[in-house]
Amino acid sequence: MWEYTEKVKEFFLQPKNIGEIENPDAVGEVGSIVCGDALRLTLKIDKETNKITDAKFQTFGCASAIASSSALTELIKGKSVDEALGISNQDIADFLGGLPQEKMHCSVMGREALEAAVADYRGIPFAVEEEGKVLCKCFNVTEEKIRKVAMENHLTTVEEITDYTKAGGGCGECRGDIETILRDLWSLKIPEKPEKPKKLTNLQKIALIQEIIEREIRPGLQADGGDIEIIDIEGKTVTIALRGMCTGCVMSGVTVNGIQEKLRELVSDDIIVVAQ
């Protein structure tokens, strides 16, 4: 029996924003009824402000899937599209007061539905599920998805991958391949989660953000022909611009989210990264 928080129970028993928006500006569909979970997210977006004015969902799945979908709609309403993309699957789980470890894949599904809806709004392809080699045939999970989710959530074991993606939770045939991916990803070393500074002045915070972007983020972007420019740092909001090959890239939203996660990991949990 899963132990759910009171907020998970509330958002499951009395879900908010359930249904479908008539003539939506964006639609995101992920998952599959065959695999056990499916989510359809519809958004209404103000074209002038680029803000999400309404969000509704239809979910086929368990209590955690319904609660996560409902939580997602509450988190993104009123935010700009770029601000919404800064919401991670962990943010969804935290909003609910936590999810059972075995149900974290429900928050991942919510995050992917948001990415799919934004891609639809911007008129660009979204193929996180379809691209690459399908590693887990039971749940149709690709190698690329396993790598992405492992990096975003610091996952180091097959069991954690199963909790977040379901991969390896069926026949088990792919578990050896998942282990190989994790060894390659972390180079046989469990990723360290460095402690954030306890208290920083504004100047120290700005300097640390600049240092991390130069040391941790820019080299990876430049290796793929891209680059990053810091436009402004005000309070908890870091405004950036992606340059080079990153400009207009269909995965730019994922890139911005990755930058935000790195700054949250090393600087402060409340940092929001916005791309111009």
Side-chain angles (χ1 to χ4, degrees):
M1 186 71 177
W2 311 117
E3 292 188 10
Y4 292 121
T5 67
E6 289 304 313
K7 203 161 186 180
V8 170
K9 293 176 184 176
E10 174 193 346
F11 274 67
F12 166 58
L13 295 173
Q14 298 175 330
K16 298 169 176 58
N17 310 308
I18 195 166
E20 182 166 359
I21 293 174
E22 186 176 351
N23 299 318
D25 296 306
V27 178
E29 293 183 293
V30 295
S32 167
I33 293 178
V34 175
C35 297
D37 294 298
L39 167 59
R40 178 179 171 86
L41 177 69
T42 52
L43 307 178
K44 203 71 178 174
I45 302 172
D46 186 308
K47 302 296 194 304
E48 293 184 3
T49 64
N50 214 35
K51 285 192 174 182
I52 299 170
T53 58
D54 198 8
K56 292 187 181 297
F57 76 95
Q58 293 177 313
T59 294
F60 176 88
C62 63
S64 294
I66 294 170
S68 294
S69 302
S70 183
L72 170 68
T73 58
E74 287 291 281
L75 284 167
I76 64 177
K77 284 198 301 182
K79 287 184 169 57
S80 70
V81 171
D82 285 330
E83 287 173 338
L85 279 176
I87 296 170
S88 67
N89 67 276
Q90 188 61 54
D91 291 330
I92 296 171
D94 291 343
F95 179 83
L96 291 167
L99 286 171
Q101 186 69 13
E102 298 86 351
K103 292 293 183 178
M104 283 300 293
H105 61 269
C106 297
S107 65
V108 173
M109 183 174 68
R111 165 66 197 181
E112 289 180 345
L114 175 60
E115 291 176 359
V118 171
D120 178 57
Y121 175 64
R122 291 175 171 170
I124 57 178
F126 177 79
V128 168
E129 293 287 350
E130 290 78 11
E131 285 184 351
K133 174 186 175 184
V134 173
L135 208 65
C136 177
K137 296 179 181 178
C138 296
F139 296 105
N140 194 36
V141 182
T142 64
E143 179 177 336
E144 284 72 16
K145 176 173 179 176
I146 291 171
R147 288 180 179 276
K148 176 177 179 288
V149 173
M151 291 178 67
E152 288 179 349
N153 296 279
H154 304 280
L155 309 183
T156 59
T157 67
V158 176
E159 287 72 22
E160 288 176 328
I161 292 294
T162 301
D163 292 340
Y164 279 71
T165 69
K166 289 191 173 183
C171 69
E173 184 178 339
C174 62
R175 291 177 66 86
D177 291 328
I178 295 173
E179 287 180 353
T180 300
I181 289 173
L182 292 174
R183 289 195 190 98
D184 174 62
L185 191 60
W186 303 121
S187 299
L188 300 176
K189 180 182 178 181
I190 295 177
E192 297 177 358
K193 299 182 183 178
E195 291 186 5
K196 291 181 277 290
K198 288 183 171 59
K199 190 173 183 180
L200 294 170
T201 65
N202 286 336
L203 288 177
Q204 288 173 328
K205 187 175 183 179
I206 290 170
L208 183 56
I209 289 171
Q210 292 173 329
E211 177 189 345
I212 289 169
I213 286 178
E214 289 297 324
R215 186 184 71 234
E216 302 283 342
I217 297 168
R218 190 186 302 279
L221 295 178
Q222 290 179 334
D224 292 327
D227 208 341
I228 182 174
E229 178 183 353
I230 300 175
I231 304 299
D232 190 22
I233 300 175
E234 183 176 354
K236 64 182 181 180
T237 302
V238 180
T239 304
I240 64 166
L242 297 177
R243 304 300 190 196
M245 295 296 289
C246 291
T247 305
C249 173
V250 296
M251 296 301 287
S252 60
V254 176
T255 301
V256 172
N257 186 58
I259 293 169
Q260 177 174 276
E261 288 302 304
K262 178 61 68 174
L263 292 178
R264 286 184 175 183
E265 174 188 352
L266 300 178
V267 182
S268 176
D269 291 331
D270 62 355
I271 283 181
I272 297 172
V273 175
V274 178
Q276 281 193 348

